[in-house]
Amino acid sequence: MIELRDYQRAAVDALYGWFRAGRGSPLVVAPTGSGKSVILAEFARSAVVVYPETRILMVTHVRELIAQNHQALIRLWPDAPAGIYSAGLGKRQLGRQILVAGVQSVARRARELGHVDLAIVDEAHLVPRSSDTQYGRLFDGLREANPSLKIIGLTATPYRLDSGLLHRGENALFDGIAYDIPVGMLVERGHLAPLVSKRPAAAFDTSGLHRRMGEFVEREMLDRFGGDATRAAVAEIVALGRDRRAWIAFCISVDHARAVRDELRSHGIAAETVSGETPGPERDRLLRAFKAGQLRALTSVGVLTTGFDAPATDLIAMLRPTASTGLYIQMAGRGMRIAPGKDDCLVLDFAGNVMRHGPVDAIALPEEKKGGKGDGEAAEPPAKICPNCDAIVPISVRECLDCGHLFPPPDPKLEATATTEAIMVLTARDEWQAIRDVDYHRHRKPGAPDSLRVDYLVGTRVVSEWVCVEHTGYAREKAVAWWHLRAEGPPPDTVDEALARVADLRRPAEAVLAREGRYHRIKRVRFARPAEEQAA
């Protein structure tokens, strides 16, 4: 039997709260390794128990995920009225109350599926906005039988390269984020392994690469990063990975993946390539060999970013640049599973992806696509974005009109400074300072919802942050993530509720400050261990 972790239970509760509020189709943002299959299994189980006539379709695109999600449901609920519909798994068990299916198998069979109340999509970032796709045809067909169909999406990355945030903009399938599980919280609690990074000496020069359909042009990448550049990168992987036992290298193309494999073999490394061209039985054999430690390295393009778990993986080599934040996070996530004897996972980013997208536990969600005329972008009035609540405010204001954040005066123009290029904020080498005290109180701003103001006494300096629990949109989403990092249970909906529950919050012990002109802001915090909290 499966026992849910607190955040998994909170995610299920948040979905019920979402539907009780009469909202549309929600997303749950759940990082790789957080147990998405457990969350969707418990939600499906409880929905059928509470509403016995409910019919549920769990759908995804990867054969391994279909089997994994069905297995999680049966482990949680051995008597579940569940079946599988997947050509890849050789099963077509129509008529079950809960059906776990591959989208390729059911896209044109909505009539055969009949009335469905809930469609739960795993890896929801792979659902395009267009209705002329397998997912689009499936959902259109299901809505013909039930116009009140609800769709729930689970994903580690709630955005697409071609269309931005999954819940924003025209034709968005989802209406908002019901729950967001912070990566940093999972690492701090020991559910995920931390990532560490080292800038390779053989880093590729990605300047001047062109993009097509939002992504870097493959031919240009191959011309620039093949041959000697690849050989130098592999030599460095071998040198830096000598104490690492399981390596995955993400490559540009199938030919590039094979070239990296051959170069690894020339150094005496047992390596194989897995790609979309690898036959199913052969791929299964190679993945089993890798998990069993019979292979030290896999080189890949395209197929190991979702639906593949090898917990012992402790080295990720990024040998391909990507403009996709989602792909970047999926690649890094392959190294975050925990395993016996594994302390962390080393990420060697030869392609500048960390610089391009930032640490995986501090990703700024991309803005939704904005329409423009011709080849240019639509003109925008002079404005800036509040770092606390993401409100867009006039460039001249000193205080956010929504949450009250104080903007620093403009800095003089200085030469750019080097970045740490850390793959995770949590493992970056920052200067930590002790937090001597912390205070919580209400912040009022005329014309805007109240917020929770948190004042930290760091040394002799008071540094504040604003938690927008009563706001909507992304400001609310950030407040929910802030709360879940510090306390168990559902986040508060009002400042009064937050103030009544401050005793539940973990005590912050140290902070890293970031300077903004004459002011400072809280960049990150570290919490006291339970024994220290009790002593305090």
Side-chain angles (χ1 to χ4, degrees):
M1 297 293 290
I2 298 175
E3 182 175 347
L4 269 68
R5 297 170 182 166
D6 60 338
Y7 64 84
Q8 293 169 334
R9 171 61 61 189
V12 173
D13 292 344
L15 286 171
Y16 278 105
W18 178 277
F19 288 125
R20 281 196 299 270
R23 297 171 179 173
S25 296
L27 284 164
V28 171
V29 179
T32 300
S34 61
K36 294 195 298 295
S37 60
V38 175
I39 294 169
L40 63 87
E42 172 57 18
F43 185 80
R45 184 202 66 80
S46 58
V48 171
V49 169
V50 176
Y51 306 100
E53 301 302 315
T54 300
R55 297 194 72 243
I56 298 173
L57 173 67
M58 297 183 187
V59 62
T60 188
H61 72 295
V62 179
R63 180 185 57 171
E64 291 81 2
L65 285 177
I66 299 168
Q68 176 181 307
N69 291 340
H70 181 265
Q71 182 183 37
L73 180 61
I74 297 303
R75 287 177 58 203
L76 185 75
W77 187 17
D79 297 326
I84 293 175
Y85 197 109
S86 167
L89 294 175
K91 295 183 178 181
R92 293 177 172 82
Q93 299 170 330
L94 281 175
R96 307 297 174 92
Q97 190 171 1
I98 303 173
L99 190 63
V100 187
V103 66
Q104 302 92 330
S105 299
V106 298
R108 298 184 181 275
R109 291 179 169 80
R111 288 189 178 182
E112 297 175 40
L113 299 178
H115 183 100
V116 172
D117 298 288
L118 288 170
I120 304 177
V121 184
D122 196 3
E123 304 292 345
H125 59 281
L126 296 172
V127 181
R129 289 180 188 250
S130 171
S131 61
D132 189 24
T133 63
Q134 290 181 326
Y135 279 106
R137 288 189 290 271
L138 172 63
F139 296 145
D140 286 347
L142 294 176
R143 288 191 181 99
E144 288 182 10
N146 177 20
S148 299
L149 173 75
K150 295 292 187 182
I151 301 173
I152 300 171
L154 287 92
T155 179
T157 51
Y159 33 78
R160 285 175 58 90
L161 182 61
D162 60 353
S163 55
L165 293 169
L166 300 183
H167 59 293
R168 303 274 178 86
E170 188 177 356
N171 299 322
L173 181 63
F174 302 99
D175 297 294
I177 297 175
Y179 196 81
D180 189 345
I181 302 170
V183 173
M185 178 192 75
L186 299 180
V187 174
E188 286 195 334
R189 295 188 182 183
H191 299 311
L192 292 180
L195 301 177
V196 296
S197 54
K198 177 179 177 61
R199 178 175 173 80
F204 301 156
D205 178 11
T206 61
S207 60
L209 288 177
H210 293 89
R211 302 188 190 192
R212 183 179 298 127
M213 301 297 292
E215 186 59 290
F216 295 116
V217 177
E218 181 180 297
R219 184 71 262 165
E220 289 187 3
M221 290 191 288
L222 290 171
D223 289 343
R224 190 179 297 187
F225 308 137
D228 290 342
T230 290
R231 283 188 285 273
V234 170
E236 194 164 3
I237 294 171
V238 172
L240 295 175
R242 58 185 177 274
D243 296 324
R244 305 272 168 174
R245 55 179 171 166
W247 311 348
I248 296 178
F250 291 103
C251 305
I252 299 167
S253 69
V254 174
D255 287 342
H256 186 236
R258 290 169 179 159
V260 173
R261 175 202 63 193
D262 293 344
E263 192 64 26
L264 285 167
R265 288 175 175 175
S266 74
H267 287 270
I269 303 299
E272 291 288 355
T273 293
V274 177
S275 73
E277 297 181 2
T278 308
E282 175 68 3
R283 181 171 68 179
D284 292 344
R285 183 188 69 79
L286 294 176
L287 297 185
R288 285 195 301 270
F290 180 70
K291 292 179 182 181
Q294 298 164 359
L295 293 173
R296 192 170 189 184
L298 286 179
T299 70
S300 172
V301 57
V303 299
L304 298 185
T305 52
T306 57
F308 171 68
D309 295 323
T313 302
D314 56 1
L315 187 151
I316 299 291
M318 296 184 185
L319 293 165
R320 62 154 297 164
T322 180
S324 167
T325 302
L327 178 57
Y328 161 64
I329 292 176
Q330 295 288 349
M331 289 191 291
R334 296 310 104 192
M336 296 192 70
R337 297 277 184 177
I338 58 175
K342 175 180 172 180
D343 296 323
D344 54 41
C345 177
L346 174 64
V347 177
L348 299 177
D349 177 24
F350 294 89
N353 292 316
V354 177
M355 285 280 289
R356 193 171 295 113
H357 302 286
V360 296
D361 55 342
I363 292 291
L365 293 182
E367 294 295 313
E368 59 265 42
K369 300 291 184 180
K370 296 181 173 64
K373 295 182 179 180
D375 295 327
E377 296 181 355
E380 297 288 339
K384 57 188 175 184
I385 298 176
C386 174
N388 183 61
C389 71
D390 274 16
I392 301 175
V393 298
I395 194 73
S396 59
V397 304
R398 287 289 310 281
E399 186 175 355
C400 177
L401 305 178
D402 281 358
C403 72
H405 171 78
L406 294 175
F407 290 93
D411 285 338
K413 291 186 178 180
L414 303 173
E415 293 298 319
T417 57
T419 174
T420 61
E421 297 186 47
I423 184 70
M424 293 191 77
V425 169
L426 194 65
T427 56
R429 294 181 179 178
D430 283 319
E431 181 183 349
W432 290 96
Q433 301 182 56
I435 296 175
R436 297 169 55 192
D437 197 8
V438 61
D439 187 35
Y440 306 89
H441 55 89
R442 179 186 299 275
H443 178 82
R444 290 187 170 90
K445 176 69 178 178
D450 290 354
S451 60
L452 177 69
R453 179 167 171 163
V454 186
D455 292 334
Y456 301 87
L457 180 59
V458 184
T460 60
R461 179 183 294 111
V462 175
V463 184
S464 302
E465 66 178 342
W466 290 261
V467 185
C468 301
V469 295
E470 296 186 9
H471 287 58
T472 59
Y474 188 53
R476 168 66 183 178
E477 293 164 16
K478 288 184 67 176
V480 168
W482 184 95
W483 190 270
H484 285 311
L485 189 60
R486 291 160 173 80
E488 298 181 2
D493 294 317
T494 66
V495 175
D496 284 339
E497 183 185 353
L499 290 171
R501 293 172 57 190
V502 294
D504 298 337
L505 296 173
R506 301 166 69 195
R507 184 171 67 86
E510 296 176 299
V512 175
L513 304 184
R515 188 176 183 86
E516 293 182 346
R518 294 185 294 110
Y519 298 89
H520 288 79
R521 64 176 175 84
I522 297 291
K523 181 179 177 183
R524 36 186 309 231
V525 296
R526 223 158 36 188
F527 299 97
R529 292 186 292 274
E532 293 173 343
E533 291 177 342
Q534 294 170 7

